[in-house]
Amino acid sequence: MGVAGPPGPVMDRDEVDRALARLGQEHEAIETSLLALQDHAGRRLLEGAELTGVTRERWATADTAISLLWTYFDAYTDALRAAREIRSRRRWSSREDLVELTELLRGEPIAAAGKGVLAEHFSLAALVDRMNELYASSLDMVVAADAVWSALPARIDLLAAELQRTRRLAHSVGVRPGEHPSGDDLERITRTLTDLRAQVVSDPLAHWVPTKGSSAPGGGRPDTTVYDREARALEDVRREIDAVLTVRQDAEQRLVRLRDVLSRADRTLSEARSARGEVLAKIAATEVPVVNGPPTVLQEQLAAAAEYRRQGLWHRLSPLLESLEQKADDELERAREQLGAVTAPLAIRAELRGRLDAYKAKVARLGLAEDPFLVERYDAARRMLWSAPCDLRVAEQAVLRYQRMAAELLAGPRDRQPGQTGGTA
């Protein structure tokens, strides 16, 4: 929509002709805008919908504004027609004609019904400004409602269709309300989407987020917060259903693996108990941890999982298998740690034996194996390491003494003190 020219002194003929041409163009633009608004899909939907909430309130205002727009436009049309008739009386307008045209084009000769009971008087410029305000507010409301209706109901319907497919799939694997959390989630999502669709249809402006500073009609976007939240919730449920379906496909394989892991844990604990007896017999002055027995609760849960599989209770088997797999892996790791803790003294003894023999081989390669002091220290360390029970702390000191003497011999005569032959025992 345009804006009429400013008021001024009596207009001459050229000014009148230019003003009438401009007003004619404005008239066409205003008429085109009003007809587009009248035919707008959003306005037609608003006119026939059962509205509630903020949309009903704003539509009541907008509907009145649109009616008032046509009233103003008719008054504008009449004023333009009257001005054209005066101008067409004669080719060269008289002084009286120009005064009348000036008053009509720049004065406030137009009486139109306003918001109150009494009619309001407008100049053409003021009338155009008033129509611009009413048009902008009405168009904003219509565009916003139409944008929400165009965006959300279709998306909600698509999500609802996906929800129904997921529900059927969930029922096929025993995921039902009251029996599985995902079944309860499906019921909640269904209720939320049903309520959301009803709210969007009856009160679209309640789901519209204005954009600050926007000059575009509507100036905002549909609020999809609730829709997006429920879409994510449905995706979570779908993943849960997929997990249950995966359980149905590979349950037997997973149960076999569970039995194998628990069996290995039992064998490892048995080995640890046997090793503990060996350590107590062969290693002296050592605290050997007690080996715990296998937890019977895991075997009971394994039996329950096998029963769930036999009965086809996949929704119960799925979380139980995940829990059991973690617990079984933890149990095997615990058994291995206990075996390592129990056999640590034997490993230390083996390391000391290997170190002692390695040094003996080293000095033998250099022809020093027959040194009497070195032989004496080797024999002392060997007796301690190959006797039972073996005191690891004493044996380690003996090995260290042998190592130090061997290192001195390997260093050569230049590193010895005068008269030193190899140290003392």
Side-chain angles (χ1 to χ4, degrees):
M1 292 186 177
V3 179
V10 175
M11 303 167 66
D12 60 28
R13 181 172 55 85
D14 290 337
E15 289 176 330
V16 168
D17 289 343
R18 287 195 297 270
L20 288 175
R22 183 176 66 254
L23 290 171
Q25 294 174 352
E26 285 183 343
H27 182 272
E28 292 180 5
I30 293 170
E31 185 177 31
T32 300
S33 298
L34 289 178
L35 290 174
L37 178 60
Q38 192 71 17
D39 292 336
H40 197 287
R43 191 205 65 80
R44 294 198 300 270
L45 288 172
L46 285 165
E47 194 171 49
E50 295 184 6
L51 302 175
T52 61
V54 64
T55 305
R56 180 171 62 184
E57 297 174 2
R58 289 192 58 186
W59 171 240
T61 302
D63 191 33
T64 301
I66 292 172
S67 298
L68 192 57
L69 269 171
W70 284 106
T71 299
Y72 287 163
F73 179 71
D74 290 342
Y76 183 86
T77 302
D78 291 342
L80 179 60
R81 183 185 303 111
R84 284 173 172 171
E85 288 176 356
I86 296 172
R87 179 65 185 89
S88 65
R89 289 175 185 171
R90 53 185 64 85
R91 182 178 180 184
W92 302 100
S93 299
S94 65
R95 173 71 180 178
E96 291 76 11
D97 291 342
L98 292 176
V99 170
E100 189 175 358
L101 285 169
T102 300
E103 176 61 25
L104 187 59
L105 297 177
R106 291 183 175 175
E108 296 184 353
I110 303 172
K115 294 182 180 179
V117 177
L118 300 177
E120 296 180 86
H121 288 269
F122 297 94
S123 66
L124 285 175
L127 188 61
V128 170
D129 289 341
R130 180 66 176 144
M131 285 191 289
N132 280 336
E133 293 173 5
L134 293 174
Y135 177 81
S137 62
S138 301
L139 183 63
D140 278 348
M141 189 270 171
V142 169
V143 168
D146 186 56
V148 174
W149 277 332
S150 299
L152 276 176
R155 295 174 68 180
I156 293 172
D157 290 342
L158 289 174
L159 190 61
E162 180 63 25
L163 175 63
Q164 292 304 316
R165 288 192 292 270
T166 303
R167 184 198 298 275
R168 290 193 293 270
L169 187 60
H171 283 188
S172 72
V173 293
V175 176
R176 296 181 175 86
E179 299 180 9
H180 192 280
S182 292
D184 298 333
D185 289 341
L186 287 174
E187 286 297 301
R188 183 194 57 75
I189 295 170
T190 300
R191 291 192 301 269
T192 302
L193 288 181
T194 301
D195 293 343
L196 178 62
R197 196 184 193 286
Q199 293 168 7
V200 167
V201 169
S202 66
D203 192 9
L205 294 185
H207 300 272
W208 179 255
V209 180
T211 300
K212 294 181 179 179
S214 175
S215 60
R221 60 176 178 78
D223 183 1
T224 61
T225 303
V226 176
Y227 170 86
D228 293 338
R229 184 191 68 207
E230 298 309 312
R232 290 192 297 269
L234 181 57
E235 181 61 28
D236 292 340
V237 172
R238 278 200 295 262
R239 283 196 292 267
E240 179 66 23
I241 302 303
D242 289 341
V244 174
L245 288 171
T246 301
V247 169
R248 185 169 67 177
Q249 294 170 358
D250 58 11
E252 181 58 28
Q253 180 181 355
R254 292 172 70 179
L255 285 171
V256 169
R257 178 187 175 276
L258 273 172
R259 294 188 186 99
D260 176 64
V261 172
L262 291 177
S263 178
R264 281 188 286 157
D266 289 345
R267 291 195 301 271
T268 303
L269 289 176
S270 296
E271 184 180 351
R273 284 191 291 272
S274 299
R276 185 173 188 273
E278 180 183 358
V279 170
L280 291 174
K282 295 182 177 180
I283 306 297
T286 300
E287 293 183 1
V288 184
V290 177
V291 179
N292 299 324
T296 58
V297 65
L298 293 184
Q299 293 297 335
E300 294 172 356
Q301 291 178 348
L302 183 60
E307 183 63 18
Y308 287 157
R309 178 187 178 278
R310 188 185 66 80
Q311 296 180 9
L313 300 176
W314 310 111
H315 63 291
R316 295 185 179 179
L317 179 59
S318 177
L320 180 57
L321 275 181
E322 291 182 6
S323 174
L324 265 176
E325 285 170 339
Q326 183 61 52
K327 291 177 181 178
D329 290 338
D330 292 343
E331 177 62 18
L332 179 58
E333 183 63 25
R334 184 183 69 87
R336 288 169 173 168
E337 289 175 354
Q338 286 196 305
L339 177 61
V342 166
T343 58
L346 295 177
I348 293 173
R349 187 185 66 173
E351 190 274 332
L352 290 174
R353 287 177 173 180
R355 197 193 313 170
L356 181 66
D357 288 343
Y359 266 88
K360 180 183 179 183
K362 190 173 183 180
V363 297
R365 286 197 303 271
L366 298 176
L368 301 174
E370 300 302 324
D371 184 275
F373 293 101
L374 197 60
V375 171
E376 179 183 354
R377 290 197 175 182
Y378 173 80
D379 290 340
R382 192 177 191 285
R383 282 194 302 272
M384 293 179 188
L385 287 172
W386 268 267
S387 63
C390 171
D391 189 326
L392 289 178
R393 288 187 289 271
V394 175
E396 184 179 15
Q397 293 302 317
V399 171
L400 289 174
R401 285 195 295 271
Y402 177 75
Q403 285 181 242
R404 285 195 291 268
M405 179 169 285
E408 292 174 0
L409 290 174
L410 293 174
R414 289 176 299 175
D415 294 334
R416 300 183 192 170
Q417 298 296 327
Q420 186 175 357
T421 60
T424 59

